[in-house]
Amino acid sequence: MNYKVPFVNFPEHYKRIRKEVLEEMDDVLSRGDLILRKDVEEFEKNIADFVGTKYAVGLNSGTDTMFLPLKALGIGPGDEVITVSHTFVASLAVIVQAGAKPVLVDVKEDFTMDLDKVEELITEKTKAILPVHLNGRVCGMDRLMEIARKHNLIVIEDAAQAIGAKYNNQMAGSFGLVGSFSLYPFKILGCFGDGGVLTTNDGILAEKIRLLRDHGQRSKTEIVCFGWNSRLDNLQAAVLNIKFKYLPDWIKKRREIASLYNKALENVSGVKTPPGPDSDNKHFDNFQNYVLKAERRNELAEFLRKKGIETLVKDPIANHKQRGLGLSHFNLPYSEKLADEVISLPIYPELTAEQISYVITSVKEFYNK
Ligand SMILES: Cc1ncc(COP(=O)(O)O)c(C=O)c1O
């Protein structure tokens, strides 16, 4: 279907950076710099400086940027990791694939981990907490780090959606031992395929991950451990270095759109808007997603679809209620309720003023019918 307002608009996004990107790709290809060359190094430096950590390591996905640290840290069978169910399934999958057990906790109204419920879940098997900064809103990291320190737990931040988001003026991905970012194409900083980057201040861990991403090869002749192939492509890194320059502007634009949506929709009965960009002085959200809680959510999605507006209903079944995952013993009332209510509206810098106002008018029309 040809939407008037598509949920994402990659062609328009590409059009705006096409010239620069093609020149850069031509340069990389002409140099023949395809695997772990200077563009990856430059990108890692860009990210470490931006997030405020000593190191960044480029990997092949935002999944591996959590999985490889778990393996590197020896978290596996017999261990427990506390995380949320209301997230993309990758946050749970990495724990299971590492051989450990995910222990799930409910989320609060703003979709971040309910920290009031974390301590009661800590046992002698708990090794780590994996908070998720969903939609680009950072979890209450001061309190979470306090809990982690008290119980001697590792923190891996799932900041897949949170590049450039801050809490107390500190960047997502710089609080825990590891910050994990996805570079999936539709993320705010996305490449043209799969990619991920992790941040850390721990030099030994960074070095270990560099080995694990490249089959444990320290040099052409020395292999120090078994690893995986999880390298960030050099070509993708070169594209990311171009996009990186625009990141602050793109976040600014998203925050402006979120503000427009919020102002227009906050008094519409039937929907609950997310906290706005200026709702408190602790959070600086990047609005990777703009998520409404909506009464008659499925009907709203269908109404908007008929009007040519594409929305996303990502998790109509809570992850722990997915039959194949074996996690249905968890009782997480708020996460289960959210599965019936959440709907994401289009939000990206390329949206026009007309499109934004059309989305607003259409949502209002649905609830005033
Ligand atoms: C919250 C969250 N965690 C993890 C991931 C996994 O990232 P990737 O798709 O790059 O492996 C994503 C990607 O959408 C995500 O949104």
Side-chain angles (χ1 to χ4, degrees):
M1 177 165 171
N2 212 356
Y3 286 99
K4 281 188 200 156
V5 191
F7 187 68
V8 288
N9 192 345
F10 185 79
E12 187 55 39
H13 168 75
Y14 178 56
K15 206 159 96 188
R16 294 178 184 201
I17 52 172
R18 182 171 181 271
K19 190 164 170 294
E20 265 182 293
V21 163
L22 288 181
E23 275 169 21
E24 186 62 27
M25 284 170 55
D26 185 49
D27 180 46
V28 172
L29 296 177
S30 303
R31 280 187 262 133
D33 279 351
L34 301 179
I35 303 290
L36 294 182
R37 304 306 285 264
K38 80 172 171 71
D39 305 274
V40 171
E41 274 175 37
E42 265 170 43
F43 177 65
E44 290 173 342
K45 169 121 188 35
N46 282 337
I47 292 299
D49 289 350
F50 180 75
V51 172
T53 52
K54 286 192 190 145
Y55 310 96
V57 186
L59 301 182
N60 73 358
S61 67
T63 302
D64 272 12
T65 46
M66 295 187 283
F67 177 67
L68 293 193
L70 287 169
K71 296 301 285 184
L73 293 161
I75 295 175
D79 298 333
E80 293 178 355
V81 179
I82 296 173
T83 192
V84 293
S85 171
H86 189 69
T87 174
F88 181 57
V89 67
S91 325
L92 312 179
V94 290
I95 300 168
V96 174
Q97 298 297 12
K101 211 172 104 186
V103 174
L104 303 181
V105 60
D106 221 337
V107 288
K108 294 188 304 175
E109 280 228 2
D110 67 355
F111 310 119
T112 63
M113 185 180 272
D114 187 344
L115 299 175
D116 288 338
K117 301 198 170 120
V118 169
E119 279 198 280
E120 66 203 52
L121 298 173
I122 296 173
T123 69
E124 70 280 2
K125 292 183 179 166
T126 312
K127 289 289 174 322
I129 311 181
L130 196 149
V132 183
H133 307 319
L134 202 69
N135 307 317
R137 183 172 181 83
V138 182
C139 196
M141 289 308 289
D142 41 4
R143 173 128 183 255
L144 189 140
M145 292 308 295
E146 208 177 287
I147 296 171
R149 270 191 291 272
K150 182 168 154 202
H151 297 274
N152 201 19
L153 301 176
I154 288 163
V155 173
I156 297 179
E157 291 172 65
D158 183 346
Q161 303 187 359
I163 187 91
K166 295 181 222 171
Y167 182 77
N168 277 342
N169 227 11
Q170 186 178 336
M171 286 280 185
S174 68
F175 294 88
L177 179 61
V178 175
S180 161
F181 298 90
S182 168
L183 305 167
Y184 177 77
F186 303 126
K187 294 293 190 273
I188 300 180
L189 184 64
C191 54
F192 296 164
D194 279 306
V197 62
L198 67 80
T199 49
T200 183
N201 285 315
D202 185 324
I204 294 170
L205 182 63
E207 204 37 51
K208 203 155 181 195
I209 306 280
R210 285 181 207 282
L211 288 170
L212 291 182
R213 77 174 167 185
D214 196 24
H215 284 299
Q217 301 176 96
R218 181 167 284 150
S219 68
K220 286 214 173 77
T221 51
E222 191 189 8
I223 300 164
V224 295
C225 61
F226 284 113
W228 285 264
N229 175 357
S230 180
R231 302 175 297 243
L232 174 65
D233 288 337
N234 196 68
L235 191 62
Q236 299 288 8
V239 170
L240 287 160
N241 284 330
I242 302 256
K243 289 191 168 198
F244 177 72
K245 294 184 291 186
Y246 300 105
L247 180 60
D249 281 352
W250 288 341
I251 293 174
K252 185 164 172 268
K253 191 79 214 300
R254 281 171 181 268
R255 287 169 55 82
E256 282 165 13
I257 298 169
S259 193
L260 290 172
Y261 277 157
N262 262 29
K263 280 195 188 108
L265 298 176
E266 62 197 357
N267 294 321
V268 174
S269 103
V271 292
K272 176 116 184 42
T273 51
D278 302 311
S279 60
D280 67 56
N281 54 13
K282 280 187 180 264
H283 291 91
F284 179 93
D285 299 3
N286 73 3
F287 288 92
Q288 167 68 58
N289 304 310
Y290 180 88
V291 183
L292 287 177
K293 291 171 204 157
E295 284 172 18
R296 297 186 285 134
R297 189 266 319 271
N298 293 346
E299 280 174 57
L300 172 66
E302 181 55 16
F303 179 81
L304 294 176
R305 192 188 67 77
K306 286 194 178 135
K307 297 218 114 213
I309 299 169
E310 190 181 16
T311 58
L312 181 70
V313 174
K314 179 72 187 67
D315 299 303
I317 303 170
N319 280 320
H320 64 288
K321 292 291 171 194
Q322 291 282 359
R323 283 219 218 116
L325 302 185
L327 298 169
S328 58
H329 51 288
F330 287 104
N331 176 27
L332 307 167
Y334 195 59
S335 301
E336 285 156 38
K337 183 166 143 52
L338 285 178
D340 293 328
E341 292 181 355
V342 291
I343 179 167
S344 302
L345 299 185
I347 187 163
Y348 43 88
E350 299 80 16
L351 274 182
T352 63
E354 293 72 41
Q355 286 176 313
I356 295 166
S357 116
Y358 183 61
V359 172
I360 289 169
T361 322
S362 302
V363 173
K364 282 184 169 170
E365 190 185 329
F366 176 76
Y367 286 104
N368 291 332
K369 272 193 296 157

